[in-house]
Amino acid sequence: MDSAMGSDRGTGRQGLRVDILVFEQARMYDLATALEVFSDRSDRGLPRHDVRLVGAQPRASCDSGATVELTGFADVPDLLIVPGSDRRLGRLDEEEIAWIRRAHEGGATVAGLCTGAFALAEAGLLDGRRATTHWRFASALGERFPMVDVTADEIFVGGDGVWTSAGVSAGADLLIHLLESILGATVAGVVARSMVIPLRRSGNQAQFIDHEVENSAAEDFRLLEDRVRSKPFEDWSVARFATELGLSKRTCYRTFASLLGTSPHDWLISLRLDVARLLLESTSAPIEIVAADSGMGTQDNLRKHFVSRFGLSPRDYRARFAPAV
C-alpha cells in the first residue's frame, strides 16, 4: 500500500484545512467519523484544524434524518473528505463533480469513505487506479466504472493524493493513516487512543466477508502486540510467537495470514518501525540508539526499512515530524 508521504500538502505541526463534501442522504456515521478524527485536541498539544462542511446546496439531510448547514466551495483545502451516501447509484451535479476535480488538481488529498468512492469515480479520479468500497457495493462500483480496478479485500487503498476506504470503521482507519502520514505517528497516536481505536489495524475486508474471527484469537494477538511493543528489542522469533499464542509454528504462520493478512516477519518489522518513529518524534536519542531500542538493530538496517516503507531516512523523518524546540 502506497504511503501518503510526499504527495500531500500539509507539513510539520500546523493544522490542516479540511473540507468535508456533504451530499443529500450522506451517511451520518462517515460524517461523524471525519469530524471526530479532525476535532479540536489543542488541549493535548495537537494542532487545530480548520474543518468545513461544504456542498452545492446550503444544507443537506443525512441518512439519520438530521440536517446539516453547509458552506459553498471556496479555496482548495489540504484534504477533501467525501463521506458515503445513499446517492451512490445516482448522479452528482456538475458543481460537485467540478469541485472534486478542482480540489485534486489543486493539490488536495481526496479521500472517499465507503460509498464515497462512487463520487470519486464519477469525477474521474479513480480511472486506472485501484480502489475499494464497502464489500457489498464493490461489484456495483466495478460494473458502473469499468476503468476502476476495484478490490473488495482492502480496508483502504490509494496513493498520489487519491484514497478510498471500505465501509463503516474503515473510514477511521484511512483518516488516521492520512493524519499519520501528514503530521506524524505521535499526532495520529493521540487521536487514535482518544477514539479507542488502533493506530494501524491489520487484516482486510476478507475477515468480515468470508468468516468470523474468533474473539479469543483476536484478543491473543492484541496482547502479543502489547508485549512486543513494550520490548521490541528482544528476540522475537516465529517459535516465540507460537509459544506465546499456544500454537504450533505451522498454525502460527496460517493464523498470522488469515487474521492479520501478513507474515510474522513483516508484522514484527512494522511494529518495530512504529516504535522507531515514535522515538524519532519524541526523543533526541542518536539514530543508533533508536535502532537498538526499537529492535531494528543497526542504523543501516533501520535506514533500509525506513526508506523502503516511508520514502524518508530516519534523520529526514525526525527533521520533518519532531516538534520544534
Side-chain angles (χ1 to χ4, degrees):
M1 185 173 297
D2 295 335
S3 170
M5 283 182 186
S7 63
D8 299 309
R9 299 193 307 161
T11 58
R13 295 291 182 172
Q14 296 181 343
L16 303 177
R17 162 72 191 285
V18 180
D19 276 9
I20 304 173
L21 178 55
V22 183
F23 305 133
E24 192 69 21
Q25 292 302 300
R27 295 187 70 245
M28 179 58 79
Y29 186 95
D30 291 348
L31 176 56
T33 296
L35 289 171
E36 178 61 27
V37 170
F38 294 98
S39 63
D40 183 6
R41 294 182 176 85
S42 55
D43 61 331
R44 303 189 65 181
L46 300 193
R48 181 178 296 176
H49 309 291
D50 178 9
V51 182
R52 309 179 191 185
L53 304 183
V54 302
Q57 305 299 323
R59 62 189 57 83
S61 297
C62 298
D63 60 352
S64 65
T67 299
V68 295
E69 301 294 321
L70 309 175
T71 61
F73 306 128
D75 52 313
V76 172
D78 296 305
L79 174 62
L80 174 62
I81 301 170
V82 183
S85 169
D86 286 345
R87 288 179 57 183
R88 63 184 178 275
L89 300 180
R91 296 285 178 180
L92 306 183
D93 65 34
E94 288 302 319
E95 190 177 359
E96 293 167 336
I97 293 175
W99 176 242
I100 295 174
R101 290 173 178 163
R102 179 186 164 200
H104 174 58
E105 292 167 359
T109 294
V110 182
L113 310 186
C114 191
T115 54
F118 283 77
L120 271 58
E122 190 168 340
L125 268 61
L126 299 182
D127 289 353
R129 296 178 182 269
R130 294 182 70 242
T132 192
T133 187
H134 192 293
W135 61 267
R136 289 177 56 201
F137 306 114
S139 60
L141 180 64
E143 290 169 5
R144 181 172 166 187
F145 301 102
M147 295 291 291
V148 181
D149 180 10
V150 180
T151 173
D153 292 335
E154 304 285 354
I155 292 176
F156 60 82
V157 64
D160 297 326
V162 179
W163 296 79
T164 53
S165 77
V168 198
S169 60
D173 292 305
L174 170 56
L175 296 180
I176 291 291
H177 169 76
L178 294 178
L179 188 63
E180 178 185 15
S181 298
I182 299 169
L183 295 181
T186 300
V187 171
V190 171
V191 175
R193 286 191 296 274
S194 72
M195 294 177 66
V196 199
I197 61 175
L199 179 61
R200 189 172 300 100
R201 178 155 54 118
S202 301
N204 53 39
Q205 288 201 79
Q207 62 185 297
F208 307 108
I209 302 169
D210 300 328
H211 61 280
E212 293 185 1
V213 176
E214 292 292 335
N215 289 335
S216 59
E219 180 62 21
D220 287 344
F221 271 88
R222 282 191 287 270
L223 294 174
L224 176 63
E225 179 174 339
D226 289 343
R227 290 193 288 272
V228 175
R229 284 186 184 277
S230 67
K231 297 181 178 180
F233 45 81
E234 290 191 351
D235 180 18
W236 292 100
S237 63
V238 176
R240 183 172 177 183
F241 288 154
T243 299
E244 296 270 350
L245 294 168
L247 305 172
S248 68
K249 287 179 63 175
R250 185 174 181 179
T251 302
C252 184
Y253 275 111
R254 289 202 306 265
T255 305
F256 263 90
S258 63
L259 187 62
L260 303 181
T262 188
S263 69
H265 176 265
D266 287 347
W267 181 78
L268 177 60
I269 291 295
S270 292
L271 288 187
R272 284 173 166 168
L273 287 174
D274 280 350
V275 174
R277 286 194 298 166
L278 291 173
L279 290 172
L280 289 168
E281 291 182 30
S282 61
T283 76
S284 58
I287 302 298
E288 61 268 24
I289 299 301
V290 172
D293 287 353
S294 65
M296 296 304 294
T298 65
Q299 290 188 69
D300 288 344
N301 192 49
L302 177 62
R303 178 184 172 83
K304 179 184 74 172
H305 285 285
F306 232 83
V307 171
S308 175
R309 188 69 59 91
F310 308 122
L312 292 171
S313 71
R315 293 186 190 281
D316 289 341
Y317 183 90
R318 171 174 274 167
R320 178 172 178 177
F321 291 115
V325 178

